[in-house]
Amino acid sequence: MNRTHRLLSAVTLFAAAPLFAQGDVDVHSFAKQLAGPAAEIEAMRAPSPVDATIHSRSALLPVRFAGSGVGGSTWQTTLPIESDTLRFLVFAPAQANWQIDMVGASGRSMEAAALAARVIGTDFGIGEARVPTVRYDFDNLQGDNWSLKLRSTADAGDGFILVEGDAATELASYQTHTRQLVGERLGLTALLTASTDADVRVGRKAGRITEAFIRVTAPDGSVSQHPMFDDGRHDDGRAGDGLFGGDFPATSAGNYVAQVEARGSNRHGRAFVRTAEHLIPVVDRSLDLISTQASAVAGEVNRLSIRVPVAAHKAGQHYRAIGEVWGTDGNDRPVAVAWLGGMVTPRNGQLALGFDERWVALSNAKPPYELRNLRIEDPDHFITVASAKRIALTMPALRTTQAASEIVIDEMMTMGPRPTGGNATQGVGKRLLLVHGYCSGGVWPASQFSTASTFLDANQNRSHDQFAQLIRNFGATWNSFGTVAHSQGGAASLHLYAFYWSGLDNATGNRLIQSVGTPYKGTNLSGILATLGSWFGIACGSNSNLTYSGASAWLAGVPNSARAKVNYYTTSFKLTNWWTNDYCQFATDLVLSDPEDGTTEQVNGQLSGGVNRGHVTGQCHTSGMRDPAQYLNASRNATMNSNAAR
């Protein structure tokens, strides 16, 4: 039983501004017109919020100094000591000179550095988006009544501490309100989950939350606090069931950083504090559906254009649309025909979805027809801006004469017609593209790859959609290309193949897309880094596609046929001995679940439908970590080079 299943068994569940203007690129001419069999419809529906649950064993607490009256400032908090060991990180502003003390039950104050077994200077982040920090490790703390006291000069500035707790007491938190639009209220939950399957089987509780709230940093930097309740009236299940719920208003577009903080006692009666960091982008209502009727217009051989009336508030903006075509069996019983979708740009008051009429013939469906579960999403964050459960669909008479038994699903049915003329691939030759990740630069040793070129968008923050289009533009020099990608570059390569025509569609060879260390299901670092960045500022900014919720929303629109083109690898630190904490990176080890590579947890580096090429130890996500960087492994690079499509 995995953690999400444990969460579901623990309680009965009830019911940002883009990084560059979306209108800058007209994707109409090279967007694929996607469709797939009825068997895939469920997988293409919007995900449940519980699928993106954050599981936290730590607490990221803001340090906000108050004047001490003696020429400086102080901040103090009680440290819940859940065992005789303790680890925490201190994030201070540049040039700050903080005095960090531990205060015991007697009130005696001792320098933390003198009491700690280890004091380690390190940093926290992804790629080049990093925040310097100092880690303090305590191996034999006596008693559970300790406080942390910080003192600084009056103008030193505020910061954060991140405290690791006992893994047996885990906070689970997920969104309840997923309409991330200006004017809506955004809801979150907090729940303690049992730490092991054995705990679930015997009904052992993880502990009890006594207080929970949401600390929200809005796009304009303002901070507000909102209570959470266990009263059965705030999307929190039944009153008194241990599930807390709360919400806050989204008053403007942009990234909201919402920290759920929960305090209480664990199953041994010891106090705990946990936080979960949610990066929640909010977008404007940029498009409306204006009719309950849609019509299919016949085009080239077997092709239909399903036209949905819309009111678009911004010209040239593109969206990801996903829906389902349904008919009947002639006796008023519904028949699923196929799912359809892709990147679309509204024109002349209509949103047109390309579709192959052979899907109708294959399903033996009859009129009346419907579009069901249509959702139209912002393409950078995969936020639904307009949706409809059912839209009546008129269809012309089918022109195909093929019987269902004669139809073989082909490229035209699943991806639509290839671009022709000036929109067709114009490059010459073939290439292997070496692609880096988020907030990074060229990482692959080019000398270990043949017929290869390095894609470089150094130290930038791009959504998957923006990243994919940059790869496409770079690769347009050649007629065909494959990719070897690191970290987010793997997701961007998959996104390119899934939604846009490019040189990837002309490549030949065993493996079209290969990736190492890609967090296909997201990484917990994204939300924490966004929280730190809301105060300190981070070089590359926050990226919602790399969060658990952002990754879940993105994957819900990526077809299995595209995922099957991905060959991926994961790595983690080398195990040294059983009695110490192994790690790739001193700081991120406090918030990632083993095994992990310092950025990507093995469990969240998996791509359902992709080809898993294995997991190895002794390699970390990037340089500067304990073990060698995963992209420098010469043996694996040779394997990828020899198998790469070009």
Side-chain angles (χ1 to χ4, degrees):
M1 182 182 292
N2 62 30
R3 291 189 295 188
T4 298
H5 290 159
R6 292 202 297 269
L7 175 63
L8 286 168
S9 66
V11 61
T12 301
L13 301 178
F14 299 89
L19 300 172
F20 57 69
Q22 296 168 351
D24 288 350
V25 180
D26 182 3
V27 305
H28 178 77
S29 60
F30 57 89
K32 293 180 176 178
Q33 299 173 17
L34 304 178
E40 295 179 358
I41 281 179
E42 185 65 34
M44 300 300 289
R45 288 176 176 167
S48 166
V50 76
D51 293 339
T53 298
I54 294 174
H55 298 268
S56 173
R57 66 177 191 275
S58 62
L60 182 64
L61 304 175
V63 175
R64 303 294 182 255
F65 284 104
S68 66
V70 291
S73 300
T74 61
W75 177 84
Q76 187 165 332
T77 189
T78 300
L79 284 177
I81 309 299
E82 300 169 53
S83 67
D84 59 356
T85 63
L86 173 68
R87 298 193 295 176
F88 63 77
L89 303 174
V90 176
F91 297 93
Q95 311 304 318
N97 184 23
W98 288 4
Q99 173 78 36
I100 303 171
D101 294 331
M102 296 285 287
V103 182
S106 66
R108 180 188 174 196
S109 182
M110 293 163 280
E111 285 191 18
L115 187 62
R118 289 167 298 281
V119 179
I120 305 163
T122 182
D123 54 31
F124 183 102
I126 308 171
E128 297 303 315
R130 314 194 72 81
V131 179
T133 184
V134 179
R135 195 179 96 179
Y136 292 80
D137 292 1
F138 303 85
D139 289 344
N140 293 291
L141 278 180
Q142 300 300 311
D144 57 3
N145 190 9
W146 288 87
S147 294
L148 181 65
K149 183 176 182 180
L150 307 182
R151 290 179 290 172
S152 80
T153 58
D155 58 352
D158 298 333
F160 290 88
I161 63 167
L162 191 152
V163 184
E164 181 187 43
D166 186 351
T169 305
E170 189 174 74
L171 178 70
S173 180
Y174 60 90
Q175 280 183 252
T176 53
H177 303 182
T178 57
R179 287 182 58 81
Q180 294 169 217
L181 302 173
V182 174
E184 297 286 344
R185 296 189 70 86
L186 306 179
L188 295 165
T189 63
L191 170 71
L192 288 188
T193 59
S195 59
T196 66
D197 293 343
D199 291 334
V200 174
R201 285 194 295 271
V202 300
R204 185 180 296 123
K205 303 293 185 181
R208 177 173 175 265
I209 296 175
T210 57
E211 176 191 12
F213 61 86
I214 308 169
R215 183 185 299 110
V216 178
T217 303
D220 63 2
S222 61
V223 179
S224 58
Q225 191 164 298
H226 307 266
M228 302 182 78
F229 305 90
D230 184 13
D231 59 5
R233 295 183 294 171
H234 293 82
D235 284 323
D236 61 301
R238 299 182 304 275
D241 63 3
L243 177 67
F244 282 69
D247 62 14
F248 63 92
T251 56
S252 62
N255 285 328
Y256 287 77
V257 179
Q259 252 196 316
V260 171
E261 181 173 322
R263 294 177 180 266
S265 56
N266 65 17
R267 68 186 186 198
H268 301 297
R270 288 191 166 189
F272 75 84
V273 58
R274 296 286 186 274
T275 65
E277 287 69 33
H278 298 265
L279 172 59
I280 307 177
V282 170
V283 300
D284 289 311
R285 299 170 186 265
S286 57
L287 180 142
D288 296 306
L289 296 172
I290 59 174
S291 176
T292 58
Q293 299 282 331
S295 59
V297 178
E300 298 178 1
V301 178
N302 294 328
R303 298 301 296 175
L304 300 172
S305 176
I306 296 178
R307 299 176 182 179
V308 181
V310 298
H313 308 316
K314 181 179 179 182
Q317 185 167 345
H318 73 283
Y319 299 88
R320 186 174 77 169
I322 300 169
E324 305 159 15
V325 176
W326 286 71
T328 68
D329 64 359
N331 294 311
D332 293 328
R333 290 178 297 202
V335 171
V337 175
W339 66 266
L340 79 169
M343 295 293 178
V344 292
T345 304
R347 296 177 184 275
N348 302 318
Q350 294 180 325
L351 186 148
L353 296 167
F355 192 64
D356 197 300
E357 65 181 33
R358 286 176 292 171
W359 288 112
V360 182
L362 185 63
S363 68
N364 287 312
K366 304 291 188 295
Y369 298 105
E370 285 184 326
L371 272 180
R372 292 190 182 182
N373 298 315
L374 175 66
R375 68 185 193 271
I376 304 168
E377 301 173 333
D378 160 85
D380 285 317
H381 308 291
F382 314 105
I383 295 168
T384 299
V385 298
S387 63
K389 284 291 186 183
R390 293 187 172 189
I391 296 177
L393 174 63
T394 59
M395 285 266 204
L398 299 185
R399 294 163 294 174
T400 181
T401 59
Q402 289 180 287
S405 60
E406 299 172 327
I407 295 174
V408 177
I409 297 174
D410 58 18
E411 178 183 276
M412 183 72 78
M413 291 178 68
T414 58
M415 295 190 287
R418 290 188 176 226
T420 58
N423 295 322
T425 302
Q426 300 294 314
V428 177
K430 60 184 180 180
R431 212 70 177 168
L432 176 62
L433 303 189
L434 307 177
V435 183
H436 58 74
Y438 160 79
C439 199
S440 182
V443 297
W444 297 100
S447 62
Q448 295 179 10
F449 298 89
S450 58
T451 320
S453 292
T454 297
F455 167 86
L456 191 61
D457 182 40
N459 301 331
Q460 298 298 313
N461 179 11
R462 311 291 190 194
S463 70
H464 290 348
D465 193 61
Q466 297 160 1
F467 202 153
Q469 292 180 45
L470 291 174
I471 297 172
R472 181 186 185 276
N473 294 343
F474 178 75
T477 299
W478 302 279
N479 175 263
S480 67
F481 62 83
T483 63
V484 165
H486 181 241
S487 197
Q488 191 195 0
S493 297
L494 170 57
H495 186 93
L496 173 58
Y497 180 77
F499 297 106
Y500 300 114
W501 293 104
S502 73
L504 282 172
D505 296 284
N506 298 332
T508 57
N510 293 336
R511 303 181 187 177
L512 184 64
I513 299 169
Q514 299 179 84
S515 69
V516 181
T518 297
Y520 288 106
K521 296 182 180 180
T523 172
N524 194 32
L525 300 189
S526 288
I528 297 174
L529 194 61
T531 307
L532 295 171
S534 68
W535 192 257
F536 294 116
I538 301 295
C540 291
S542 55
N543 191 312
S544 68
N545 291 177
L546 299 178
T547 65
Y548 294 146
S549 57
S552 177
W554 166 64
L555 282 172
V558 178
N560 287 335
S561 57
R563 300 184 191 203
K565 298 294 185 180
V566 178
N567 293 259
Y568 66 93
Y569 299 84
T570 56
T571 75
S572 63
F573 50 76
K574 181 180 180 180
L575 294 169
T576 54
N577 51 61
W578 60 267
W579 63 87
T580 62
N581 288 305
D582 281 307
Y583 58 88
C584 263
Q585 214 278 340
F586 278 123
T588 59
D589 183 54
L590 272 64
V591 298
L592 296 176
S593 296
D594 295 340
E596 40 86 3
D597 67 8
T599 295
T600 302
E601 297 158 315
Q602 182 183 2
V603 66
N604 290 313
Q606 306 303 303
L607 176 65
S608 175
V611 181
N612 186 339
R613 292 293 175 180
H615 180 87
V616 298
T617 60
Q619 298 170 21
C620 294
H621 195 78
T622 189
S623 59
M625 295 186 175
R626 193 194 70 175
D627 297 334
Q630 55 196 195
Y631 45 74
L632 298 179
N633 184 271
S635 176
R636 182 168 57 237
N637 289 350
T639 299
M640 290 194 294
N641 181 57
S642 63
N643 285 281
R646 290 175 173 83

